[in-house]
Amino acid sequence: MNLVRCENGHFYDSDLYAACPHCGVQSRNDDVTVALTQGVTQDSVTQAQVSAGSLSDAVQQATAGKSEAGNDSATVGYYDKTLGIEPVVGWLVCVEGNNIGADYRLKSGRNFIGRAASMDVAITGDETVSRDRHAIIVYEPKTHIFLVQAGESKELCYLNEKVVLATDEVKINDILTVGATKLMFFPCCSDTFNWEMVKKEGEE
């Protein structure tokens, strides 16, 4: 991975793109999956995987604020070519706020929540949500747990009405509050089902 910064401040992998994919039409390799989120083209492939072996390791990586590539703006994701796409690991569903009923797809690694369209979970229309990194949801693929941590803005986030000051585990039907928006959490991956199981079954 060769991360560069465009003149507008976006980071992207120059090995995959001839020009910044966030600024407009891009040139890309045919074998790279590109996600379209609310009209903004984003690089959904990072080839980096969170490699924590325990909850404490996951917390340490989640709070590090940097990806394995050394870029603090890059989202750490998990992409498996055998599955053909970057698989969903869970969802956040808006149960209160301007976007009630909307669902937001989560991927492995860190998912940044904010108002900007470049965020992994882009909560548009809620001015009380910080533009960038109001909160972070992490899926740790070794132990199949989900974590929430406060983002890098001055605004607070809440898990089940309790302020998130460090890192807390998130479970099914938990409510995450960012600004005036409440999001209910639904996992896809767990000890009983995860994409590693699917890969192993396919190899047998």
Side-chain angles (χ1 to χ4, degrees):
M1 177 180 291
N2 184 18
L3 291 173
V4 297
R5 186 174 184 174
C6 76
E7 60 184 13
N8 292 322
H10 302 125
F11 288 92
Y12 67 97
D13 188 352
S14 63
D15 291 338
L16 302 178
Y17 297 96
C20 177
H22 303 285
C23 293
V25 179
Q26 73 279 4
S27 172
R28 64 180 180 85
N29 294 336
D30 292 337
D31 62 348
V32 176
T33 300
V34 175
L36 298 178
T37 304
Q38 298 182 352
V40 177
T41 305
Q42 296 179 329
D43 179 13
S44 65
V45 182
T46 65
Q47 303 293 334
Q49 180 178 3
V50 174
S51 58
S54 67
L55 176 59
S56 61
D57 292 336
V59 171
Q60 183 178 0
Q61 288 192 18
T63 56
K66 294 186 178 182
S67 71
E68 292 176 1
N71 170 26
D72 60 3
S73 294
T75 299
V76 177
Y78 173 80
Y79 177 77
D80 191 328
K81 289 186 177 181
T82 62
L83 295 174
I85 62 170
E86 186 168 9
V88 64
V89 298
W91 300 268
L92 293 173
V93 177
C94 181
V95 294
E96 185 177 315
N98 292 340
N99 299 300
I100 190 166
D103 64 296
Y104 305 92
R105 189 176 185 270
L106 301 176
K107 61 181 178 297
S108 186
R110 289 178 292 180
N111 297 266
F112 296 108
I113 302 172
R115 196 174 74 250
S118 59
M119 295 290 96
D120 301 295
V121 177
I123 305 174
T124 58
D126 185 350
E127 295 298 320
T128 62
V129 175
S130 297
R131 181 172 178 81
D132 295 305
R133 301 187 182 191
H134 190 126
I136 303 170
I137 292 283
V138 179
Y139 171 68
E140 199 288 288
K142 296 292 185 181
T143 55
H144 312 297
I145 61 172
F146 291 83
L147 307 168
V148 62
Q149 69 175 128
E152 298 174 5
S153 73
K154 67 177 183 179
E155 304 299 332
L156 299 174
C157 64
Y158 298 83
L159 178 64
N160 298 325
E161 302 301 331
K162 294 183 179 180
V163 66
V164 176
L165 297 177
T167 302
D168 297 315
E169 187 171 355
V170 187
K171 298 183 179 180
I172 187 169
N173 296 132
D174 279 353
I175 300 292
L176 177 66
T177 303
V178 287
T181 297
K182 291 189 176 183
L183 303 164
M184 183 176 287
F185 169 69
F186 297 94
C188 173
C189 294
S190 64
D191 288 335
T192 56
F193 173 85
N194 55 73
W195 298 112
E196 196 66 30
M197 289 180 176
V198 174
K199 288 192 303 178
K200 289 179 180 179
E201 290 176 359
E203 293 170 356
E204 293 176 353

